[in-house]
Amino acid sequence: MILRLNLVQPCGFNGEHMKRIYLDHASSMPVDPRVFKFAKPYLTKEYGNPSSLYSPGLEAKQAIEESRKKIAEFINAENEKSIIFTSGATESNNLAIRGTALRNLNDGKEVAASAIEHISVLNPMKELQKNGFTFKTIPVDSTGTVDLEKLENLLTKNTTVTSIMYANNEIGTIEPIKEIRKIVHGKGRYLHVDATAAAGFLPIDVQDEGIDLMTLSSNDLYGPRGAGALYVKPGVKIQSIMPGGGQERGLRSGTENVFAIAGMGEAARIAKKEMKEESARLRKIRDKLINGIKKIDEAYLTGHPIQRLPHHASFRFSHIEGESILLNMDMYNIQVATGSACSHKTLEPSHVLLAIGLKHEEAHGSVVLTLGRSNSIEQVPFIVEALRDTVQRLRALSPLVKER
Amino acid sequence: MIYIAEFGYSKKVMEHFMNPKNVGVIENPDGYGKVGNPVCGDLMEIFIKVKDDIITDIKFKTFGCGSAIATSSMVTELAKGKHIDEAIKITRSNVADELDGLPPQKMHCSNLAADALHEAIKDYKNKKKK
């Protein structure tokens, strides 16, 4: 049965009587109730400072070390010491890039990143560029896959850190990390991988994949916000970017956010245990969603058709604008994301969509749907119909659609 | 007064976005205005029918974000039934105020809607001269 919705006004006003269908897990996730239950005592009971030697402090320290162990197991790190806790992915990316570029200054003043990296990778590199570094951008093809030949040509022995994401949050494309690793280690030095979007959905083994530095985010694993981690392979030369009391082996000063860190470890443990089954379940929903949306007139999948995250569907629609799509979908109580300029503070369309070769007017009509544990395959027909009606309604308003 | 719109859209913006008034085209309009560019993410067209210098009918078509659609709808509501000398005085801040405010980065959208109306009125005046 196909659900038909009222075109003009889908529901009351803000969809409040419709059940929420949240499809923006790439931007924020709920905290798993099991994680919350696990970590809650560290807010109210075990509130000691982990640096203090009395028992509540030791309890807190213990919680951090247990979390470190869980994270190390999650990515198969050499040992627990290689995990540095931070405040989140932005800080991990900054520490990875600035920390290695500055520490290895005498060996070269070049940094490199793919054109589709997160802004928290690109901006630290641009800042280094202002301070005398050379910043090289590695182009991607129309699917968002890093151009390996260009990577090979652009890197030199002076390139101390190259940053390539495991998978992209906006177009879902998974990068060939093993091949990239070979090139980076052959031509430059350290490979930093931002695994924020991929972790929890794809199994990652830092030793097998030869990763030197890797960013993880708690909230992207159904953990609390305010925690992240940076994996630093033993032997990698890195320095602190925020000097202070010397916590986290001197690499990240500041009293630890014990609650969020404990939660992140538990979230990683659960993700490791459930990933295989959950990703297979999400992949089925994603495929049904993509096949449904593809049938909408002038809907084009963005990103890689096969090498893509199991929970990720991204499209662009001709003649309409993404923020309008987002607002209209919210009236059905369905939350989606867009790379349109109008939704950004800069009023520039997403650099990711421009990097894969979309024109500005094409990039404006982008929609990103990222699935999670709350979604089910039964929701797909409703989502597709809501999107179809949204697209139809907005095209009826658009001067770019000429009467046929 | 603090506009809620600093954090998101006002209820009025959403009303006009969800149920825009005066959508469509007018065949053989007395005045036609077009502003914006799809490359920038906003394009508006306004069509007017004028009798004795009174705007008797007005329609719009807009490609753009929520506020682009809402401001187009609002500007047509404000101009409908007005004398052209009055309608040309409608400013971007009139449009934004009538919508209970717009987020700061969206102010250019209200600018465009008023501009499209002004273009349509100018077009009408030019045609009249001939």
Side-chain angles (χ1 to χ4, degrees), chain B residues 20-99:
Chain B
K21 307 286 190 294
N22 311 308
V23 176
V25 295
I26 295 174
E27 297 297 329
N28 308 313
D30 297 319
Y32 168 70
K34 179 177 166 183
V35 294
N37 187 328
V39 177
C40 308
D42 295 294
L43 179 72
M44 292 174 193
E45 287 182 343
I46 284 187
F47 308 82
I48 53 172
K49 208 76 185 158
V50 185
K51 199 178 175 197
D52 302 328
D53 284 351
I54 305 284
I55 298 175
T56 54
D57 196 12
I58 182 163
K59 297 262 188 246
F60 84 88
K61 281 230 162 178
T62 291
F63 161 80
C65 61
S67 65
I69 290 168
T71 52
S72 304
S73 169
M74 180 53 83
V75 88
T76 58
E77 282 289 274
L78 291 177
K80 205 172 192 174
K82 281 209 168 75
H83 191 279
I84 52 161
D85 294 342
E86 287 299 309
I88 205 144
K89 287 182 198 155
I90 295 170
T91 64
R92 61 191 280 196
S93 48
N94 294 147
V95 178
D97 288 347
E98 286 293 328
L99 288 166

Side-chain angles (χ1 to χ4, degrees), chain A residues 8-10 13 319-321 323-324 327-328 331 342-345 347 360-361 364 393-403, chain B residues 9 11 14-15 17-20 23 25 38-45 60-67 69 105-106 108-109:
Chain A
V8 180
Q9 197 163 356
F13 197 66
H319 313 311
I320 53 175
E321 193 276 331
E323 191 208 82
S324 296
L327 293 171
N328 205 83
M331 295 299 130
C342 269
S343 64
H344 290 183
K345 290 191 180 90
L347 296 180
H360 274 69
E361 57 267 43
H364 287 308
R393 184 178 95 81
L394 295 173
R395 282 190 181 148
L397 297 177
S398 174
L400 302 174
V401 181
K402 294 298 164 202
E403 309 283 329
Chain B
Y9 287 134
K11 201 160 181 253
M14 288 310 294
E15 277 166 16
F17 170 71
M18 285 312 291
N19 288 306
V23 176
V25 295
V39 177
C40 308
D42 295 294
L43 179 72
M44 292 174 193
E45 287 182 343
F60 84 88
K61 281 230 162 178
T62 291
F63 161 80
C65 61
S67 65
I69 290 168
Q105 75 271 25
K106 298 288 186 177
H108 78 285
C109 298

Side-chain angles (χ1 to χ4, degrees), chain A residues 47-61:
Chain A
Y47 48 78
N49 188 318
S51 296
S52 303
L53 285 174
Y54 42 63
S55 42
L58 296 177
E59 287 288 345
K61 180 78 180 153

